[in-house]
Amino acid sequence: MGSARLSTDPLEIRWLGSVEYQDTFDLQHRLATERADGVLDHDVLLLLEHPAVYTAGRRTEDADRPTDGSPVIDVDRGGKLTWHGPGQLVAYPIVALAHPVDVVDYVRRLEEAMIMVTHQLGLDTYRVDGRSGVWVLGDGVRQDRKIGAIGIRVARGVALHGIAVNCDPDLSAFTSIIPCGIPDAGAGSLTVELGRSVTVADVHPLLGQAISDALDGTLEVTEHRPPPVETPQIVAADGTGVGLIQ
């Protein structure tokens, strides 16, 4: 498995702390333009938290927007509506992609990085067909919960925007929206699912390394599909015509 990046130089990882969404939106676009123009000669990964904000990707519909009148920033990434805020680790890789550009492969590598980190922390997560991101599976009582979300943009061969991992956010922020436009699923966090405190500070070194490894191809993309659901077998009792479920 080769690299998804055009450059062979190391990925520069920058930890920015807590930054307003609009400030990093502007920074991403400036860096992406510089990368496409050759002014910036290497790829950059921005790791940060945002103060609480809702952002709407290009597929957001009116029904997806907050029901409590909260303001929303419309942005140029893919996907629908989501929330960013304290306790959520956000990663924005500004990366010149290898030729030919394969957006699906790039997305799967970012998902792989998130899955790797959750596994390192002791939580099994999966890909779910037809749904982007990284998931904890429902159990018949609880819905599937999204732990890691993804929404990207590729322009002039350079990727921007990225992923968000819920470490220990206030999940009530998701209750006034349909997260990512998926009505039959919810949002989860590493802290809630693992039953112990998992902070952004705990996760950001792991995620930075995992993204670097996934993009460079040293972390191989695998399926991580949900395990098959066992269906009961029906066995006919001898001579009775009555089926017994085992």
Side-chain angles (χ1 to χ4, degrees):
M1 180 174 165
S3 176
R5 300 195 297 125
L6 187 63
S7 173
T8 58
D9 292 333
L11 179 67
E12 179 192 353
I13 301 176
R14 301 182 188 177
W15 167 247
L16 302 184
S18 180
V19 189
E20 292 287 345
Y21 183 86
Q22 189 63 53
D23 291 341
T24 50
F25 181 90
D26 295 341
L27 175 60
Q28 285 186 74
H29 282 75
R30 177 173 63 78
L31 292 173
T33 297
E34 291 176 356
R35 190 74 183 97
D37 290 342
V39 175
L40 179 64
D41 64 358
H42 62 281
D43 299 323
V44 177
L45 171 61
L46 307 176
L47 294 173
L48 55 125
E49 288 180 271
H50 288 305
V53 63
Y54 292 106
T55 68
R58 290 171 296 182
R59 295 195 302 111
T60 301
E61 301 175 6
D62 289 342
D64 300 325
R65 294 179 181 267
T67 56
D68 61 2
S70 296
V72 175
I73 298 177
D74 290 278
V75 297
D76 57 356
R77 61 166 170 78
K80 292 196 172 188
L81 187 77
T82 194
W83 174 87
H84 298 302
Q88 183 190 75
L89 175 59
V90 180
Y92 296 134
I94 313 301
V95 172
L97 297 176
H99 302 306
V101 171
D102 187 338
V103 175
V104 172
D105 173 70
Y106 177 71
V107 167
R108 286 174 61 81
R109 289 175 190 245
L110 294 182
E111 289 175 342
E112 190 71 32
M114 291 190 284
I115 291 170
M116 167 60 73
V117 169
T118 66
H119 286 186
Q120 287 176 311
L121 293 167
L123 179 65
D124 290 334
T125 58
Y126 301 91
R127 291 186 175 90
V128 174
D129 286 337
R131 295 178 171 179
S132 66
V134 173
W135 296 83
V136 174
L137 300 182
D139 55 10
V141 177
R142 296 175 298 171
Q143 299 174 310
D144 291 352
R145 283 92 65 203
K146 180 178 277 192
I147 297 293
I150 184 165
I152 69 161
R153 172 180 171 84
V154 177
R156 299 174 63 197
V158 176
L160 63 161
H161 296 290
I163 60 178
V165 178
N166 292 336
C167 301
D168 59 347
D170 178 359
L171 293 176
S172 67
F174 291 97
T175 60
S176 62
I177 64 171
I178 301 174
C180 303
I182 302 173
D184 61 342
S189 73
L190 292 168
T191 291
V192 170
E193 300 298 335
L194 289 169
R196 67 176 192 270
S197 175
V198 181
T199 67
V200 167
D202 296 328
V203 177
H204 81 71
L206 300 176
L207 187 63
Q209 186 63 54
I211 291 172
S212 179
D213 291 345
L215 295 184
D216 288 345
T218 56
L219 173 59
E220 186 176 356
V221 172
T222 55
E223 288 300 307
H224 300 291
R225 298 297 181 189
V229 177
E230 294 187 5
T231 55
Q233 296 180 340
I234 300 177
V235 181
D238 291 342
T240 66
V242 177
L244 303 178
I245 297 179
Q246 296 183 335

